[in-house]
Short mmCIF file of all heavy atoms in Angstrom, two decimals:
data_model
loop_
_atom_site.label_atom_id
_atom_site.label_comp_id
_atom_site.label_asym_id
_atom_site.label_seq_id
_atom_site.Cartn_x
_atom_site.Cartn_y
_atom_site.Cartn_z
N MET U 29 0.84 -1.18 -0.01
CA MET U 29 -0.06 -0.01 0.02
C MET U 29 0.89 1.29 -0.07
O MET U 29 1.85 1.27 0.59
CB MET U 29 -0.92 -0.04 1.24
CG MET U 29 -1.82 1.22 1.29
SD MET U 29 -2.85 0.95 2.77
CE MET U 29 -4.47 1.04 1.91
N PHE U 30 0.45 2.25 -0.79
CA PHE U 30 1.25 3.51 -0.85
C PHE U 30 0.71 4.47 0.23
O PHE U 30 -0.37 5.00 0.10
CB PHE U 30 1.03 3.98 -2.25
CG PHE U 30 1.97 5.06 -2.72
CD1 PHE U 30 3.28 4.72 -2.95
CD2 PHE U 30 1.62 6.40 -2.70
CE1 PHE U 30 4.21 5.74 -3.37
CE2 PHE U 30 2.46 7.39 -3.27
CZ PHE U 30 3.77 7.07 -3.44
N GLY U 31 1.53 4.78 1.17
CA GLY U 31 1.15 5.64 2.31
C GLY U 31 1.66 7.08 2.17
O GLY U 31 2.46 7.39 1.23
N LEU U 32 1.36 7.85 3.07
CA LEU U 32 1.72 9.25 3.12
C LEU U 32 3.30 9.39 3.15
O LEU U 32 3.88 10.23 2.50
CB LEU U 32 1.15 10.07 4.21
CG LEU U 32 1.47 11.57 4.39
CD1 LEU U 32 1.01 12.23 3.17
CD2 LEU U 32 0.83 12.09 5.54
N SER U 33 3.94 8.60 3.95
CA SER U 33 5.35 8.69 4.11
C SER U 33 6.07 8.23 2.70
O SER U 33 7.07 8.80 2.32
CB SER U 33 5.89 7.82 5.14
OG SER U 33 5.57 6.41 4.92
N ASP U 34 5.46 7.30 1.96
CA ASP U 34 5.94 7.02 0.70
C ASP U 34 5.74 8.17 -0.24
O ASP U 34 6.62 8.44 -0.98
CB ASP U 34 5.20 5.74 0.13
CG ASP U 34 5.33 4.55 1.00
OD1 ASP U 34 6.46 4.25 1.46
OD2 ASP U 34 4.46 3.73 1.06
N LEU U 35 4.67 8.91 -0.22
CA LEU U 35 4.47 10.02 -1.08
C LEU U 35 5.42 11.03 -0.87
O LEU U 35 5.98 11.66 -1.83
CB LEU U 35 3.04 10.53 -0.90
CG LEU U 35 2.68 11.81 -1.63
CD1 LEU U 35 2.68 11.57 -3.09
CD2 LEU U 35 1.32 12.39 -1.08
N LYS U 36 5.72 11.34 0.45
CA LYS U 36 6.64 12.42 0.80
C LYS U 36 8.06 12.13 0.34
O LYS U 36 8.89 13.09 0.17
CB LYS U 36 6.66 12.63 2.29
CG LYS U 36 5.41 13.30 2.70
CD LYS U 36 5.45 13.65 4.18
CE LYS U 36 4.24 14.27 4.76
NZ LYS U 36 4.25 14.62 6.18
N GLN U 37 8.39 10.92 0.00
CA GLN U 37 9.70 10.52 -0.59
C GLN U 37 9.83 10.60 -2.07
O GLN U 37 10.95 10.48 -2.63
CB GLN U 37 10.03 9.13 -0.01
CG GLN U 37 10.25 9.12 1.54
CD GLN U 37 10.58 7.74 1.95
OE1 GLN U 37 11.00 6.91 1.21
NE2 GLN U 37 10.37 7.51 3.29
N THR U 38 8.71 10.89 -2.77
CA THR U 38 8.81 10.91 -4.20
C THR U 38 9.44 12.24 -4.68
O THR U 38 9.41 13.21 -4.00
CB THR U 38 7.33 10.79 -4.78
OG1 THR U 38 6.59 11.99 -4.44
CG2 THR U 38 6.60 9.53 -4.44
N ARG U 39 9.97 12.13 -5.79
CA ARG U 39 10.68 13.37 -6.45
C ARG U 39 9.67 14.47 -6.65
O ARG U 39 9.96 15.60 -6.55
CB ARG U 39 11.34 12.88 -7.73
CG ARG U 39 12.19 13.98 -8.46
CD ARG U 39 12.78 13.60 -9.73
NE ARG U 39 11.86 12.81 -10.61
CZ ARG U 39 11.22 13.40 -11.58
NH1 ARG U 39 11.11 14.71 -11.62
NH2 ARG U 39 10.49 12.68 -12.37
N VAL U 40 8.48 14.14 -7.19
CA VAL U 40 7.48 15.15 -7.49
C VAL U 40 6.99 15.83 -6.28
O VAL U 40 7.01 17.10 -6.35
CB VAL U 40 6.22 14.37 -8.13
CG1 VAL U 40 5.05 15.36 -8.29
CG2 VAL U 40 6.60 13.74 -9.51
N TYR U 41 6.91 15.19 -5.18
CA TYR U 41 6.49 15.71 -3.88
C TYR U 41 7.60 16.73 -3.46
O TYR U 41 7.31 17.90 -3.15
CB TYR U 41 6.28 14.79 -2.78
CG TYR U 41 5.97 15.31 -1.50
CD1 TYR U 41 4.54 15.61 -1.17
CD2 TYR U 41 6.85 15.55 -0.51
CE1 TYR U 41 4.23 16.24 0.04
CE2 TYR U 41 6.51 16.20 0.76
CZ TYR U 41 5.19 16.37 1.04
OH TYR U 41 4.83 17.06 2.18
N GLN U 42 8.89 16.26 -3.53
CA GLN U 42 9.98 17.07 -3.02
C GLN U 42 10.18 18.36 -3.91
O GLN U 42 10.41 19.45 -3.39
CB GLN U 42 11.33 16.25 -3.02
CG GLN U 42 11.31 15.22 -2.03
CD GLN U 42 11.20 15.64 -0.60
OE1 GLN U 42 11.76 16.63 -0.31
NE2 GLN U 42 10.49 14.93 0.22
N GLU U 43 10.04 18.14 -5.19
CA GLU U 43 10.20 19.26 -6.09
C GLU U 43 9.01 20.31 -5.93
O GLU U 43 9.23 21.50 -5.90
CB GLU U 43 10.18 18.89 -7.58
CG GLU U 43 11.50 18.21 -7.96
CD GLU U 43 11.46 17.60 -9.35
OE1 GLU U 43 10.37 17.73 -10.01
OE2 GLU U 43 12.44 17.05 -9.73
N GLY U 44 7.86 19.79 -5.64
CA GLY U 44 6.66 20.64 -5.37
C GLY U 44 6.90 21.42 -4.08
O GLY U 44 6.59 22.63 -4.02
N LYS U 45 7.40 20.83 -3.06
CA LYS U 45 7.65 21.45 -1.84
C LYS U 45 8.71 22.55 -1.94
O LYS U 45 8.55 23.66 -1.50
CB LYS U 45 8.24 20.44 -0.86
CG LYS U 45 8.25 20.85 0.59
CD LYS U 45 8.65 19.71 1.54
CE LYS U 45 8.87 20.17 2.96
NZ LYS U 45 9.27 19.12 3.76
N GLN U 46 9.79 22.35 -2.71
CA GLN U 46 10.82 23.29 -2.95
C GLN U 46 10.27 24.38 -3.70
O GLN U 46 10.60 25.65 -3.44
CB GLN U 46 12.07 22.64 -3.67
CG GLN U 46 12.81 21.68 -2.81
CD GLN U 46 13.95 21.10 -3.71
OE1 GLN U 46 13.94 20.97 -4.79
NE2 GLN U 46 14.71 20.30 -2.92
N GLU U 47 9.52 24.15 -4.79
CA GLU U 47 8.90 25.31 -5.54
C GLU U 47 8.03 26.16 -4.70
O GLU U 47 7.90 27.38 -4.87
CB GLU U 47 8.08 24.66 -6.82
CG GLU U 47 7.60 25.72 -7.73
CD GLU U 47 8.64 26.64 -8.34
OE1 GLU U 47 9.85 26.24 -8.48
OE2 GLU U 47 8.33 27.81 -8.61
N GLY U 48 7.25 25.44 -3.76
CA GLY U 48 6.27 26.27 -3.02
C GLY U 48 6.97 27.24 -2.00
O GLY U 48 6.67 28.40 -1.78
N ALA U 49 8.19 26.77 -1.50
CA ALA U 49 9.01 27.51 -0.60
C ALA U 49 9.67 28.73 -1.42
O ALA U 49 9.69 29.81 -0.89
CB ALA U 49 10.08 26.72 0.03
N ARG U 50 10.03 28.42 -2.62
CA ARG U 50 10.59 29.51 -3.37
C ARG U 50 9.58 30.55 -3.78
O ARG U 50 9.86 31.74 -3.69
CB ARG U 50 11.12 28.85 -4.65
CG ARG U 50 11.89 29.84 -5.56
CD ARG U 50 12.60 29.14 -6.73
NE ARG U 50 13.25 29.98 -7.61
CZ ARG U 50 14.30 30.61 -7.44
NH1 ARG U 50 14.99 30.44 -6.39
NH2 ARG U 50 14.83 31.41 -8.36
N GLU U 51 8.29 30.14 -4.06
CA GLU U 51 7.24 31.10 -4.34
C GLU U 51 6.98 31.91 -3.10
O GLU U 51 6.66 33.08 -3.24
CB GLU U 51 6.05 30.38 -4.85
CG GLU U 51 6.23 29.81 -6.20
CD GLU U 51 4.93 28.93 -6.65
OE1 GLU U 51 3.87 29.02 -5.94
OE2 GLU U 51 5.14 28.29 -7.68
N GLU U 52 6.96 31.35 -1.96
CA GLU U 52 6.70 32.06 -0.73
C GLU U 52 7.76 33.18 -0.50
O GLU U 52 7.51 34.31 -0.10
CB GLU U 52 6.70 31.12 0.46
CG GLU U 52 6.29 31.77 1.76
CD GLU U 52 4.87 32.38 1.73
OE1 GLU U 52 4.03 31.85 1.01
OE2 GLU U 52 4.69 33.38 2.43
N LYS U 53 9.04 32.87 -0.80
CA LYS U 53 10.16 33.83 -0.78
C LYS U 53 9.78 35.02 -1.65
O LYS U 53 10.01 36.17 -1.23
CB LYS U 53 11.45 33.16 -1.03
CG LYS U 53 11.94 32.24 0.02
CD LYS U 53 13.29 31.69 -0.47
CE LYS U 53 13.93 30.78 0.55
NZ LYS U 53 15.16 30.31 0.24
N PHE U 54 9.37 34.77 -2.88
CA PHE U 54 9.06 35.76 -3.80
C PHE U 54 7.89 36.69 -3.39
O PHE U 54 7.86 37.82 -3.55
CB PHE U 54 8.75 35.34 -5.17
CG PHE U 54 9.97 34.75 -5.97
CD1 PHE U 54 10.06 33.52 -6.52
CD2 PHE U 54 11.16 35.62 -5.98
CE1 PHE U 54 11.19 33.17 -7.20
CE2 PHE U 54 12.32 35.20 -6.73
CZ PHE U 54 12.32 33.96 -7.32
N ARG U 55 6.96 36.03 -2.63
CA ARG U 55 5.82 36.85 -2.15
C ARG U 55 6.34 37.78 -1.01
O ARG U 55 5.68 38.74 -0.66
CB ARG U 55 4.67 35.96 -1.60
CG ARG U 55 3.84 35.29 -2.77
CD ARG U 55 2.57 34.64 -2.25
NE ARG U 55 2.81 33.45 -1.51
CZ ARG U 55 2.93 32.21 -2.12
NH1 ARG U 55 2.69 32.19 -3.40
NH2 ARG U 55 3.13 31.15 -1.39
N MET U 56 7.31 37.42 -0.24
CA MET U 56 7.80 38.21 0.78
C MET U 56 8.59 39.41 0.37
O MET U 56 8.75 40.39 1.12
CB MET U 56 8.80 37.33 1.71
CG MET U 56 8.03 36.29 2.39
SD MET U 56 6.88 36.83 3.64
CE MET U 56 7.94 37.66 4.76
N ILE U 57 9.15 39.46 -0.81
CA ILE U 57 9.94 40.61 -1.32
C ILE U 57 9.27 41.96 -1.18
O ILE U 57 9.95 42.83 -0.54
CB ILE U 57 10.45 40.24 -2.80
CG1 ILE U 57 11.38 39.13 -2.85
CG2 ILE U 57 11.05 41.49 -3.40
CD1 ILE U 57 11.71 38.65 -4.23
N PRO U 58 8.08 42.13 -1.74
CA PRO U 58 7.49 43.50 -1.54
C PRO U 58 7.34 43.87 -0.13
O PRO U 58 7.48 45.11 0.19
CB PRO U 58 6.21 43.43 -2.33
CG PRO U 58 6.31 42.19 -3.22
CD PRO U 58 7.26 41.26 -2.56
N LEU U 59 6.96 42.93 0.68
CA LEU U 59 6.70 43.28 2.06
C LEU U 59 7.98 43.74 2.81
O LEU U 59 8.01 44.76 3.47
CB LEU U 59 6.11 42.06 2.87
CG LEU U 59 6.02 42.23 4.40
CD1 LEU U 59 5.04 43.33 4.78
CD2 LEU U 59 5.69 40.78 5.03
N LEU U 60 9.05 42.99 2.59
CA LEU U 60 10.40 43.31 3.13
C LEU U 60 10.79 44.76 2.65
O LEU U 60 11.36 45.53 3.48
CB LEU U 60 11.37 42.28 2.95
CG LEU U 60 11.11 40.94 3.66
CD1 LEU U 60 12.15 39.94 3.27
CD2 LEU U 60 11.07 41.16 5.14
N LEU U 61 10.63 44.99 1.40
CA LEU U 61 11.06 46.29 0.91
C LEU U 61 10.20 47.44 1.44
O LEU U 61 10.74 48.51 1.73
CB LEU U 61 10.93 46.24 -0.65
CG LEU U 61 11.97 45.35 -1.36
CD1 LEU U 61 11.63 45.28 -2.84
CD2 LEU U 61 13.33 45.78 -1.13
N ARG U 62 8.92 47.21 1.66
CA ARG U 62 8.06 48.20 2.28
C ARG U 62 8.39 48.47 3.74
O ARG U 62 8.26 49.53 4.21
CB ARG U 62 6.58 47.82 2.19
CG ARG U 62 5.99 48.13 0.76
CD ARG U 62 4.50 48.04 0.86
NE ARG U 62 3.92 46.70 1.38
CZ ARG U 62 3.66 45.73 0.57
NH1 ARG U 62 3.73 45.81 -0.72
NH2 ARG U 62 3.18 44.59 1.13
N LEU U 63 8.94 47.41 4.40
CA LEU U 63 9.45 47.64 5.77
C LEU U 63 10.73 48.33 5.86
O LEU U 63 11.24 48.63 6.91
CB LEU U 63 9.50 46.19 6.47
CG LEU U 63 8.20 45.47 6.76
CD1 LEU U 63 8.41 44.12 7.25
CD2 LEU U 63 7.27 46.30 7.69
N GLY U 64 11.26 48.61 4.75
CA GLY U 64 12.44 49.49 4.71
C GLY U 64 13.77 48.74 4.41
O GLY U 64 14.93 49.35 4.43
N LEU U 65 13.79 47.44 4.12
CA LEU U 65 14.96 46.71 3.85
C LEU U 65 15.40 47.04 2.41
O LEU U 65 14.58 47.35 1.58
CB LEU U 65 14.76 45.24 3.94
CG LEU U 65 15.04 44.54 5.29
CD1 LEU U 65 14.00 44.94 6.22
CD2 LEU U 65 15.07 43.06 5.13
N SER U 66 16.69 47.17 2.19
CA SER U 66 17.20 47.41 0.77
C SER U 66 17.05 46.11 -0.04
O SER U 66 16.76 45.10 0.44
CB SER U 66 18.63 47.73 0.91
OG SER U 66 19.42 46.64 1.31
N PHE U 67 17.26 46.23 -1.36
CA PHE U 67 17.18 45.16 -2.17
C PHE U 67 18.30 44.10 -1.75
O PHE U 67 18.04 42.89 -1.74
CB PHE U 67 17.56 45.56 -3.64
CG PHE U 67 16.25 46.08 -4.40
CD1 PHE U 67 15.82 47.34 -4.11
CD2 PHE U 67 15.60 45.33 -5.27
CE1 PHE U 67 14.81 47.86 -4.73
CE2 PHE U 67 14.45 45.76 -5.90
CZ PHE U 67 14.02 47.11 -5.69
N GLU U 68 19.41 44.59 -1.33
CA GLU U 68 20.50 43.67 -0.97
C GLU U 68 20.13 42.90 0.32
O GLU U 68 20.43 41.79 0.45
CB GLU U 68 21.81 44.47 -0.77
CG GLU U 68 22.40 45.02 -2.03
CD GLU U 68 21.86 46.30 -2.50
OE1 GLU U 68 20.94 46.90 -1.77
OE2 GLU U 68 22.20 46.78 -3.56
N GLU U 69 19.55 43.71 1.31
CA GLU U 69 19.23 43.00 2.58
C GLU U 69 18.12 41.94 2.33
O GLU U 69 18.17 40.99 3.01
CB GLU U 69 18.81 44.11 3.56
CG GLU U 69 19.82 45.01 4.04
CD GLU U 69 19.35 46.21 4.79
OE1 GLU U 69 18.22 46.80 4.49
OE2 GLU U 69 19.90 46.68 5.72
N THR U 70 17.12 42.33 1.57
CA THR U 70 16.08 41.49 1.25
C THR U 70 16.56 40.18 0.59
O THR U 70 16.14 39.07 1.02
CB THR U 70 14.98 42.14 0.24
OG1 THR U 70 14.51 43.30 0.90
CG2 THR U 70 13.88 41.24 -0.09
N ALA U 71 17.50 40.32 -0.36
CA ALA U 71 18.10 39.08 -1.01
C ALA U 71 18.75 38.29 0.03
O ALA U 71 18.53 37.03 0.04
CB ALA U 71 19.03 39.57 -2.10
N LYS U 72 19.50 38.90 0.85
CA LYS U 72 20.23 38.08 1.85
C LYS U 72 19.38 37.38 2.84
O LYS U 72 19.50 36.22 3.21
CB LYS U 72 21.18 39.00 2.62
CG LYS U 72 22.16 38.31 3.60
CD LYS U 72 23.16 39.25 4.22
CE LYS U 72 24.12 38.57 5.21
NZ LYS U 72 25.09 39.35 5.74
N LYS U 73 18.29 38.07 3.28
CA LYS U 73 17.43 37.48 4.36
C LYS U 73 16.65 36.36 3.69
O LYS U 73 16.29 35.38 4.38
CB LYS U 73 16.35 38.61 4.82
CG LYS U 73 17.02 39.67 5.60
CD LYS U 73 17.24 39.24 7.05
CE LYS U 73 17.71 40.36 7.85
NZ LYS U 73 18.23 39.94 9.15
N LEU U 74 16.30 36.45 2.46
CA LEU U 74 15.46 35.29 1.76
C LEU U 74 16.33 34.26 1.10
O LEU U 74 15.83 33.28 0.61
CB LEU U 74 14.58 35.93 0.71
CG LEU U 74 13.45 36.95 1.35
CD1 LEU U 74 12.71 37.54 0.17
CD2 LEU U 74 12.50 36.19 2.29
N GLY U 75 17.61 34.46 1.13
CA GLY U 75 18.50 33.45 0.48
C GLY U 75 18.35 33.49 -1.12
O GLY U 75 18.52 32.42 -1.74
N LEU U 76 18.10 34.70 -1.69
CA LEU U 76 17.99 34.83 -3.07
C LEU U 76 19.16 35.76 -3.51
O LEU U 76 19.78 36.44 -2.77
CB LEU U 76 16.64 35.48 -3.36
CG LEU U 76 15.42 34.75 -2.98
CD1 LEU U 76 14.19 35.69 -3.21
CD2 LEU U 76 15.24 33.51 -3.76
N SER U 77 19.31 35.72 -4.86
CA SER U 77 20.34 36.56 -5.43
C SER U 77 19.66 38.01 -5.58
O SER U 77 18.49 38.11 -5.60
CB SER U 77 20.83 36.09 -6.82
OG SER U 77 19.78 36.29 -7.75
N LEU U 78 20.53 38.99 -5.67
CA LEU U 78 20.11 40.38 -5.82
C LEU U 78 19.32 40.52 -7.11
O LEU U 78 18.28 41.15 -7.23
CB LEU U 78 21.23 41.29 -5.90
CG LEU U 78 20.93 42.77 -6.13
CD1 LEU U 78 20.00 43.33 -5.05
CD2 LEU U 78 22.21 43.65 -6.07
N GLU U 79 19.86 39.76 -8.18
CA GLU U 79 19.12 39.77 -9.53
C GLU U 79 17.71 39.20 -9.43
O GLU U 79 16.75 39.64 -10.06
CB GLU U 79 19.94 38.98 -10.50
CG GLU U 79 21.22 39.68 -10.85
CD GLU U 79 22.26 38.79 -11.49
OE1 GLU U 79 22.05 37.51 -11.41
OE2 GLU U 79 23.24 39.24 -11.98
N GLU U 80 17.54 38.15 -8.64
CA GLU U 80 16.21 37.53 -8.51
C GLU U 80 15.26 38.51 -7.86
O GLU U 80 14.05 38.62 -8.23
CB GLU U 80 16.19 36.24 -7.65
CG GLU U 80 16.89 35.01 -8.32
CD GLU U 80 17.10 33.93 -7.46
OE1 GLU U 80 17.60 34.12 -6.34
OE2 GLU U 80 16.68 32.76 -7.81
N VAL U 81 15.72 39.29 -6.75
CA VAL U 81 14.80 40.18 -6.12
C VAL U 81 14.51 41.38 -7.07
O VAL U 81 13.33 41.73 -7.23
CB VAL U 81 15.59 40.77 -4.87
CG1 VAL U 81 14.76 41.96 -4.21
CG2 VAL U 81 15.80 39.73 -3.83
N GLN U 82 15.42 41.84 -7.81
CA GLN U 82 15.22 42.93 -8.76
C GLN U 82 14.27 42.47 -9.87
O GLN U 82 13.22 43.24 -10.20
CB GLN U 82 16.60 43.44 -9.36
CG GLN U 82 17.33 44.16 -8.38
CD GLN U 82 18.74 44.46 -8.85
OE1 GLN U 82 19.34 43.81 -9.67
NE2 GLN U 82 19.38 45.48 -8.30
N GLN U 83 14.37 41.31 -10.33
CA GLN U 83 13.58 40.79 -11.49
C GLN U 83 12.09 40.61 -10.94
O GLN U 83 11.18 40.93 -11.67
CB GLN U 83 14.01 39.43 -12.03
CG GLN U 83 15.33 39.59 -12.89
CD GLN U 83 15.92 38.28 -13.24
OE1 GLN U 83 15.48 37.23 -12.83
NE2 GLN U 83 16.98 38.27 -14.08
N GLU U 84 12.01 40.11 -9.78
CA GLU U 84 10.59 39.96 -9.20
C GLU U 84 10.00 41.20 -8.94
O GLU U 84 8.69 41.35 -9.25
CB GLU U 84 10.71 39.25 -7.84
CG GLU U 84 9.35 38.88 -7.29
CD GLU U 84 8.50 37.83 -8.18
OE1 GLU U 84 9.10 37.10 -9.01
OE2 GLU U 84 7.34 37.83 -7.97
N MET U 85 10.65 42.21 -8.56
CA MET U 85 9.98 43.53 -8.30
C MET U 85 9.56 44.24 -9.67
O MET U 85 8.62 44.99 -9.74
CB MET U 85 10.91 44.50 -7.55
CG MET U 85 11.05 44.12 -6.09
SD MET U 85 9.40 43.96 -5.25
CE MET U 85 8.67 45.57 -5.43
N GLN U 86 10.32 43.85 -10.65
CA GLN U 86 9.99 44.43 -12.12
C GLN U 86 8.67 43.86 -12.57
O GLN U 86 7.93 44.42 -13.28
CB GLN U 86 11.07 44.24 -13.08
CG GLN U 86 12.32 45.05 -12.90
CD GLN U 86 13.37 44.67 -13.82
OE1 GLN U 86 13.34 43.76 -14.50
NE2 GLN U 86 14.47 45.44 -13.77
N LYS U 87 8.26 42.62 -12.05
CA LYS U 87 7.05 42.00 -12.47
C LYS U 87 5.89 42.54 -11.57
O LYS U 87 4.69 42.37 -12.05
CB LYS U 87 7.09 40.51 -12.12
CG LYS U 87 8.16 39.63 -12.88
CD LYS U 87 8.11 38.26 -12.36
CE LYS U 87 9.28 37.51 -13.04
NZ LYS U 87 9.24 36.13 -12.49
N GLN U 88 6.14 43.25 -10.47
CA GLN U 88 5.08 43.69 -9.61
C GLN U 88 4.38 44.89 -10.34
O GLN U 88 5.09 45.84 -10.88
CB GLN U 88 5.61 44.08 -8.27
CG GLN U 88 6.26 42.98 -7.51
CD GLN U 88 5.28 41.90 -7.05
OE1 GLN U 88 4.26 42.33 -6.58
NE2 GLN U 88 5.61 40.72 -7.18
N PRO U 89 3.07 45.15 -10.12
CA PRO U 89 2.41 46.28 -10.57
C PRO U 89 2.82 47.45 -9.72
O PRO U 89 3.38 47.33 -8.59
CB PRO U 89 0.95 46.04 -10.32
CG PRO U 89 0.93 44.93 -9.38
CD PRO U 89 2.14 44.17 -9.44
N PRO U 90 2.73 48.71 -10.27
CA PRO U 90 3.15 49.86 -9.50
C PRO U 90 2.40 50.03 -8.21
O PRO U 90 1.18 49.64 -8.12
CB PRO U 90 2.85 51.09 -10.44
CG PRO U 90 2.66 50.42 -11.85
CD PRO U 90 2.25 49.07 -11.54
N SER U 91 3.11 50.47 -7.21
CA SER U 91 2.42 50.60 -5.84
C SER U 91 1.32 51.62 -5.84
O SER U 91 1.32 52.60 -6.52
CB SER U 91 3.45 51.01 -4.75
OG SER U 91 2.96 51.20 -3.51
N GLN U 92 0.22 51.29 -5.13
CA GLN U 92 -0.84 52.16 -5.03
C GLN U 92 -0.80 53.00 -3.65
O GLN U 92 -1.89 53.50 -3.26
CB GLN U 92 -2.21 51.35 -5.09
CG GLN U 92 -2.33 50.67 -6.45
CD GLN U 92 -2.39 51.62 -7.61
OE1 GLN U 92 -3.06 52.76 -7.49
NE2 GLN U 92 -1.81 51.23 -8.74
N ASP U 93 0.35 53.01 -3.04
CA ASP U 93 0.37 53.67 -1.70
C ASP U 93 0.13 55.21 -1.96
O ASP U 93 0.71 55.81 -2.80
CB ASP U 93 1.75 53.46 -1.05
CG ASP U 93 2.06 51.98 -0.64
OD1 ASP U 93 0.97 51.23 -0.55
OD2 ASP U 93 3.17 51.64 -0.45
N ILE U 94 -0.58 55.77 -0.97
CA ILE U 94 -0.89 57.22 -1.02
C ILE U 94 -0.37 57.94 0.16
O ILE U 94 -0.46 57.35 1.32
CB ILE U 94 -2.35 57.47 -1.30
CG1 ILE U 94 -2.84 56.87 -2.55
CG2 ILE U 94 -2.65 58.94 -1.26
CD1 ILE U 94 -4.39 57.04 -2.79
#
C-alpha cells in the first residue's frame, strides 16, 4: 500500500515542496522592501540573489500607496 510517508519521498513531492518555498520567498519581497529593507538586505534575508529580487520587483504592478 502507498502511504503518506511513501508519497513524501517521491521526487514530484519534493520538487513541489521546494517550488512552494521559493514562491513564498518571492511573495515576501515586496513586504520586506516596504518595511525598509534594501534590495541587498532582502536578497540576503531570503537566500535569493540580488538579481532575483530585482527581477521579481519588475514583475510587480506599480504601488498604489498614497
Side-chain angles (χ1 to χ4, degrees):
M29 180 178 241
F30 196 74
L32 182 58
S33 62
D34 296 321
L35 174 65
K36 289 182 177 183
Q37 294 177 18
T38 64
R39 180 178 53 85
V40 172
Y41 179 87
Q42 293 297 323
E43 288 175 357
K45 188 175 176 182
Q46 289 174 349
E47 184 61 29
R50 185 169 175 79
E51 289 176 10
E52 186 62 29
K53 288 180 180 184
F54 285 132
R55 283 194 288 270
M56 294 293 297
I57 292 171
L59 174 63
L60 293 175
L61 292 172
R62 280 195 303 268
L63 290 173
L65 273 69
S66 68
F67 279 78
E68 294 82 3
E69 292 168 324
T70 299
K72 186 174 180 179
K73 292 284 185 192
L74 296 175
L76 299 170
S77 72
L78 177 58
E79 293 161 346
E80 289 173 309
V81 172
Q82 292 171 333
Q83 288 173 356
E84 186 62 23
M85 286 310 296
Q86 289 176 352
K87 296 177 189 177
Q88 299 290 321
S91 176
Q92 298 296 323
D93 293 342
I94 298 178

